[in-house]
Amino acid sequence: MTPILELRNINYSYHTPEGETKALAGISFSLSPGEFTAVVGPSGCGKSTLLSLIAGLMRPESGEIFLDGAPLTENSSKIGYMLQHDHLFEWRSVYRNVVLGLEISGTLTAETRSEAEQLLEQYGLLPFARSRPSELSGGMRQRAALIRTLLLKPELLLLDEPFSALDYQTRLTVSDDIGQIIRSSGKTALLVTHDLSEAVSLSDRIVILSKRPASITRIVPITFALEKDTPLNRRNAPEFKNYFNEIWKELNHDE
Ligand code: ADP
């Protein structure tokens, strides 16, 4: 099976008047369709740099990135984003926020409008379609932001610390909720987070990066023997602590 995303020996350095900062050193990994992968590493190691390269915002110094078997191009419509801030516009209703991407890409049709309504209905937001974003809870706002992204039918979702603006309690329920929606959508997802618990509760695999310049220390497959494998159930399962400790040790060993 062709991986959705493949990184081959990626290197990247920043050049400033003060000198060169090597951020990424020989990063190679690939994502299979439907897989949920998290990337963790010490602060400042190069996680955002890696995401910017995958998003096509910067080019690697050397190495290659393939999306769906073809070299990555800028602004690929195959990539969707979920960021720390939901970027919902207060002057638009919830409905008009979720169709914004379709409007911008010129694909707002009777069919895609009906898809928007279906997703709003499926995820419990239809009664709020005419509301303003400020009338929604933090979790509902993230759902709306995710629906806006899913309507563009991306093949790969890049999640950049998507829950870090939320308080701890909200964060647990929202990551559970959003994690389940992403699973049920069958999308391939790449999550960058500094929150190890979040990575263990959400992903199928964790890519551990070393301190800067980031190289891959280890890739740990995550499996839970749960009847209902949800992020919240994982947090209460016995394997959770083992994975957490194993990866924590790996990260701190590096320091
Ligand atoms: P992380 O996301 O893991 O915290 P980053 O990818 O943001 O790390 O940064 C990796 C390293 O590259 C850091 O040491 C940072 O200081 C440096 N860096 C990031 N952006 C720039 C830039 N625009 N110019 C110079 N150095 C940068």
Side-chain angles (χ1 to χ4, degrees):
M1 201 178 339
T2 312
I4 295 271
L5 179 77
E6 187 180 0
L7 276 70
R8 289 192 200 151
N9 201 18
I10 300 297
N11 290 283
Y12 191 86
S13 302
Y14 290 99
H15 298 274
T16 61
E18 290 74 45
E20 184 189 59
T21 306
K22 190 157 179 57
L24 303 175
I27 302 276
S28 302
F29 67 90
S30 55
L31 305 182
S32 302
E35 197 174 30
F36 199 125
T37 302
V39 174
V40 300
S43 164
C45 75
K47 299 185 289 299
S48 307
T49 306
L50 184 64
L51 266 195
S52 299
L53 292 173
I54 297 171
L57 301 172
M58 309 191 305
R59 285 173 173 277
E61 200 168 59
S62 64
E64 294 164 301
I65 304 179
F66 295 91
L67 187 62
D68 234 357
L72 180 76
T73 52
E74 248 173 85
N75 298 325
S76 171
S77 61
K78 292 180 177 175
I79 297 184
Y81 302 90
M82 204 167 166
L83 310 169
Q84 188 172 345
H85 296 288
D86 54 46
H87 297 290
L88 297 176
F89 294 113
E90 187 55 26
W91 45 273
R92 287 187 153 230
S93 66
V94 170
Y95 174 78
R96 297 206 53 224
N97 266 288
V98 303
V99 297
L100 182 61
L102 296 170
E103 254 179 66
I104 292 172
S105 61
T107 52
L108 186 58
T109 60
E111 193 184 338
T112 55
R113 279 177 202 275
S114 139
E115 284 169 8
E117 279 170 32
Q118 274 169 28
L119 285 183
L120 286 168
E121 159 111 71
Q122 190 176 349
Y123 299 125
L125 287 181
L126 202 51
F128 301 92
R130 287 162 183 270
S131 309
R132 299 282 150 184
S134 58
E135 295 171 68
L136 303 184
S137 68
M140 289 157 89
R141 292 180 67 111
Q142 285 290 32
R143 276 186 176 208
L146 181 58
I147 292 172
R148 182 184 55 196
T149 301
L150 292 178
L151 282 170
L152 295 171
K153 303 194 176 68
E155 289 184 29
L156 171 65
L157 280 176
L158 296 182
L159 313 171
D160 187 7
E161 302 269 5
F163 313 118
S164 55
L166 303 168
D167 65 75
Y168 182 71
Q169 280 304 328
T170 314
R171 197 173 170 152
L172 291 187
T173 49
V174 174
S175 68
D176 185 67
D177 181 50
I178 296 293
Q180 291 194 61
I181 295 176
I182 293 173
R183 290 265 178 212
S184 66
S185 74
K187 299 287 174 202
T188 312
L190 185 67
L191 165 74
V192 166
T193 180
H194 67 274
D195 184 334
L196 201 44
S197 312
E198 195 166 281
V200 176
S201 72
L202 286 164
S203 54
D204 299 313
R205 267 191 333 163
I206 298 185
V207 175
I208 307 176
L209 299 181
S210 69
K211 64 180 187 238
R212 192 179 65 77
S215 58
I216 296 179
T217 318
R218 249 180 84 192
I219 297 182
V220 182
I222 308 286
T223 50
F224 281 79
L226 282 166
E227 204 168 300
K228 193 160 179 276
D229 188 6
T230 67
L232 275 183
N233 286 348
R234 280 188 176 195
R235 286 179 189 263
N236 295 317
E239 300 98 312
F240 189 85
K241 205 172 71 194
N242 301 340
Y243 280 127
F244 185 95
N245 289 340
E246 181 185 342
I247 298 164
W248 176 263
K249 230 189 268 171
E250 191 78 61
L251 283 170
N252 288 295
H253 169 72
D254 184 57
E255 305 224 318

